[in-house]
Amino acid sequence: MHALRLRTAIILIFALFFSAINYAVAASNSQDRVLNFARKVEVTKFFPTADRYGELREDIAVLPAMAGDEVLGWVFLTTDLVSTTGYSGKPIDTLVGINPDGILTSVQLVKHAEPIVLIGIPDSAIKQVTENYAGLDIRKEAEQGGSAHELDIISGATVTIMVIDDSVVRASLKVARTLGIGGLKTKIADSGPKFLVDPEKTEISDWMTLTGDGSLRRLTLDVGQINAAFVEQGNPKAIKRPEKGPDTDAYIDMYMGLADVPTIGRTIMGDAEYGNLKDRLKEGEHAIVVLGRGRYSFKGTGYVRGGIFDRIQLIQDDISVRFKDRQHKRLGEIAAGDAPTFKELDIFTIPADSGFEPSKPFRLQLLAHRTIGAIEKTFLTFDLGYQLPAQYLKKIEVAATAIDEAGESAIAASEEDARVELWQRIWNDRQIDIAILGIALAILTGVFFFQMQVSKSEKFTFWFRIGFLTFVLVWLGWMENAQLSVVNVLALFSALTSEFSWSAFLMDPLVFLLWFSVAAALLFWGRGAYCGWLCPFGALQELTNRIAKFFKVPQVTLPWGLHERLWAVKYMIFLGLFGLSLYSLAVAEHYAEVEPFKTAIILKFQRGWPYVLFAVLLLGAGLFIERFYCRYLCPLGAALAIPARLRMFDWLKRYKECGSPCARCEKECMVGAIHPEGHINPNECLNCLHCQVLYQSDDKCPVCIKKLARRKKFEAQTGLSKTEKGTSVKQPA
């Protein structure tokens, strides 16, 4: 039976592994994607007189729109050319048509995973916005850095619309420059001197100097200016709802600087915080400090719900960066003594794969909104331009080179290679973190393999478990954010039936290693290896319950019949989420908020009050019923329990007397995983090893107590107690 299970498990694991690789290879050929989408959208949508799509170009993923032998224009998929993601964390695919004059003829939204329908916004409204890009002049966008048009934003879908806008404009600029459309030319590579940030410029300055020499740049708007801007926009509803108060009141006063430049970072943050920032930044990453005061917040509260800062984005040439909650850190105070007071002090990390160059000019674009109805808003954008002062740069001489068409293709290929290899650089940068997790996993594996020796001492087992869970909660959870989720399971299944990005899967080495260890542990020990030892939220539940027990909080034991039936709830939740993922992964991800992991672990309770209240209620229930969420509600635990049925070994030892007449293990099992007849339910067991401590206890286990009593009786009868044996050895001397 074990051999059959082993063969089945190995076949499933290898099938999963090779399927993933096959999908990774298939997904790596991005040019196939534009062909697939073009088959679903007639060429006449973009050019009414066209009769077919031409052959895909080799230098860039663009399809000519043909009428006989004449090329009417070109059609391309935005996600083949630029990488932007929305609220869902997934790309938003749009097909764009552009004519030889650089005018967009049509934009068709063909695929997205945005959860916008969950807040009452019809998909047709989003598609209408994309179609409104027809007529956009890319030549003007090139002249004004992508800001020659007004955003047509739908309230409640701000990020989605801005991502679509960003990808359409940047992809169109890339195509126009590559093909020379509308007189635009391929960019010339930097020639002559090239500048890099000089790491030797480390002296501490002061606020007045930084603002005076341009190290910090400022955007300031008063009430009168913002009211005038909305009047100029011409929206009657916005004009009727002006900002109240004196015109001279500050609407927003915002400063920005490159925080990883030593002088700027040390002056603003102080040496300790600057050192922490440098430790956090990985190879190729940069950071900006943004400070704000006034009526309007550059952060808002949208990031609390969706994890994306929708009021600001960084723009440099044809690239843009929209920041997520994981790229954000609050700054406690400004180290410079002469600095004014700010309400908002924040650090944002610029990803290494964004293409950002600190020596070149860039701008931080602020999105200002005005409520004009119950749920309706209108928007304006303002730019805070920035150029790092020359004193922070050092010059590197490079040979002058002009990029021709072939050269541009080669550079594009090298950029793609860099993205593919980014995960390797991340792994190299996180060698210490990987080593720490590797050691922790090795120790835990040793504990499981030698569980009888470890659990011989009740005191050692207790304190080892408390220490390990504290490490998992603090380091693995709160510091490293390595919390697995049922969303990972749903996304993997979805990837195996659609597309799979192997490099994306490797981007977080700790999560990857955890999933690898979980896959192995399922074969040996079941789901308890992760749920009982490596889940940060599980650790938080158990530790808070231990504290509750210390303060004599009464523990509730549910009747067995009710307890056993409540087990099924988490499986129903998982099956519901799984069914939703077959319809829409984005919808399933939204409802996966039944997991409090993001609130309690990833965001450390820095979130909207409904999410915090939900997490606190679950932890509160866990004070009275140990591991309440794990027992009855956790869909991840249910998802792991299903393949865990393939486990190869039964490591937990039992006596035939367990359950009849003895029920001590059943009563002391922290999650009630032991049936009244003594059988351990492997689907519910968290491998805490407490039953193995009892199994060997001469003080608590009736079987051990009887064995000890018989041994003592035998020794007394034969006169060979341990003490007497020691004496008899000495007598002949």
Side-chain angles (χ1 to χ4, degrees), residues 277-352:
L277 172 67
K278 296 299 287 186
D279 290 340
R280 290 197 307 272
L281 292 180
K282 303 176 181 62
E283 181 184 353
E285 291 184 341
H286 298 277
I288 58 172
V289 56
V290 186
L291 312 170
R293 56 185 176 177
R295 300 184 181 186
Y296 192 72
S297 166
F298 63 79
K299 291 189 301 184
T301 58
Y303 74 96
V304 176
R305 299 184 300 275
I308 296 179
F309 292 86
D310 58 2
R311 295 188 179 183
I312 56 172
Q313 68 170 328
L314 184 147
I315 301 173
Q316 185 180 66
D317 295 331
D318 295 344
I319 70 168
S320 69
V321 178
R322 191 166 298 284
F323 301 103
K324 300 181 180 179
D325 48 19
R326 293 189 181 186
Q327 298 162 330
H328 165 254
K329 190 178 189 303
R330 289 190 179 95
L331 182 63
E333 60 181 1
I334 301 177
D338 59 337
T341 302
F342 290 93
K343 291 195 303 183
E344 296 177 316
L345 304 90
D346 300 272
I347 306 294
F348 296 94
T349 300
I350 305 171

Side-chain angles (χ1 to χ4, degrees), residues 116-348:
I116 50 177
V117 294
L118 300 178
I119 54 175
I121 299 174
D123 197 54
S124 58
I126 306 299
K127 289 184 176 180
Q128 182 59 52
V129 170
T130 62
E131 292 171 2
N132 289 343
Y133 279 88
L136 188 70
D137 191 338
I138 292 302
R139 295 168 299 181
K140 292 182 180 179
E141 298 301 323
E143 292 173 1
Q144 300 184 32
S147 302
H149 65 289
E150 290 187 4
L151 285 171
D152 183 15
I153 292 180
I154 299 175
S155 299
T158 307
V159 170
T160 300
I161 299 302
M162 295 185 77
V163 167
I164 292 173
D165 177 83
D166 174 67
S167 59
V168 167
V169 173
R170 288 201 293 128
S172 300
L173 285 169
K174 188 170 185 177
V175 170
R177 287 183 171 132
T178 301
L179 303 182
I181 295 173
L184 297 179
K185 296 180 179 179
T186 300
K187 287 190 172 183
I188 303 300
D190 292 336
S191 61
K194 182 177 181 180
F195 295 93
L196 298 175
V197 175
D198 188 349
E200 297 181 1
K201 298 292 180 66
T202 61
E203 63 276 5
I204 294 179
S205 184
D206 54 64
W207 179 266
M208 184 173 293
T209 301
L210 292 186
T211 55
D213 65 12
S215 301
L216 290 174
R217 298 293 176 96
R218 181 184 188 187
L219 170 66
T220 180
L221 294 168
D222 59 30
V223 171
Q225 289 172 314
I226 195 68
N227 285 337
F230 276 108
V231 168
E232 186 178 351
Q233 183 196 45
N235 188 317
K237 293 182 180 179
I239 296 172
K240 289 180 180 179
R241 298 179 182 233
E243 192 75 22
K244 304 296 184 182
D247 285 352
T248 55
D249 276 8
Y251 180 73
I252 187 168
D253 188 15
M254 185 170 71
Y255 289 80
M256 176 185 64
L258 270 173
D260 56 309
V261 174
T263 293
I264 299 174
R266 294 182 67 200
T267 303
I268 297 299
M269 294 183 285
D271 286 335
E273 279 296 331
Y274 178 72
N276 292 336
L277 172 67
K278 296 299 287 186
D279 290 340
R280 290 197 307 272
L281 292 180
K282 303 176 181 62
E283 181 184 353
E285 291 184 341
H286 298 277
I288 58 172
V289 56
V290 186
L291 312 170
R293 56 185 176 177
R295 300 184 181 186
Y296 192 72
S297 166
F298 63 79
K299 291 189 301 184
T301 58
Y303 74 96
V304 176
R305 299 184 300 275
I308 296 179
F309 292 86
D310 58 2
R311 295 188 179 183
I312 56 172
Q313 68 170 328
L314 184 147
I315 301 173
Q316 185 180 66
D317 295 331
D318 295 344
I319 70 168
S320 69
V321 178
R322 191 166 298 284
F323 301 103
K324 300 181 180 179
D325 48 19
R326 293 189 181 186
Q327 298 162 330
H328 165 254
K329 190 178 189 303
R330 289 190 179 95
L331 182 63
E333 60 181 1
I334 301 177
D338 59 337
T341 302
F342 290 93
K343 291 195 303 183
E344 296 177 316
L345 304 90
D346 300 272
I347 306 294
F348 296 94

Side-chain angles (χ1 to χ4, degrees), residues 606-667:
Q606 299 297 314
R607 211 176 180 197
W609 71 265
Y611 297 98
V612 173
L613 178 62
F614 177 63
V616 169
L617 287 175
L618 292 177
L619 290 171
L623 299 179
F624 302 93
I625 301 176
E626 189 168 4
R627 293 260 191 163
F628 171 82
Y629 179 78
C630 297
R631 293 192 196 201
Y632 306 127
L633 299 177
C634 183
L636 176 60
L640 295 180
I642 295 171
R645 299 294 296 174
L646 296 171
R647 82 189 196 287
M648 312 313 305
F649 309 100
D650 291 323
W651 295 85
L652 302 179
K653 298 185 179 296
R654 309 292 287 154
Y655 295 113
K656 67 179 187 300
E657 292 89 350
C658 291
S660 179
C662 180
R664 178 141 202 169
C665 290
E666 176 207 346
K667 295 184 184 305

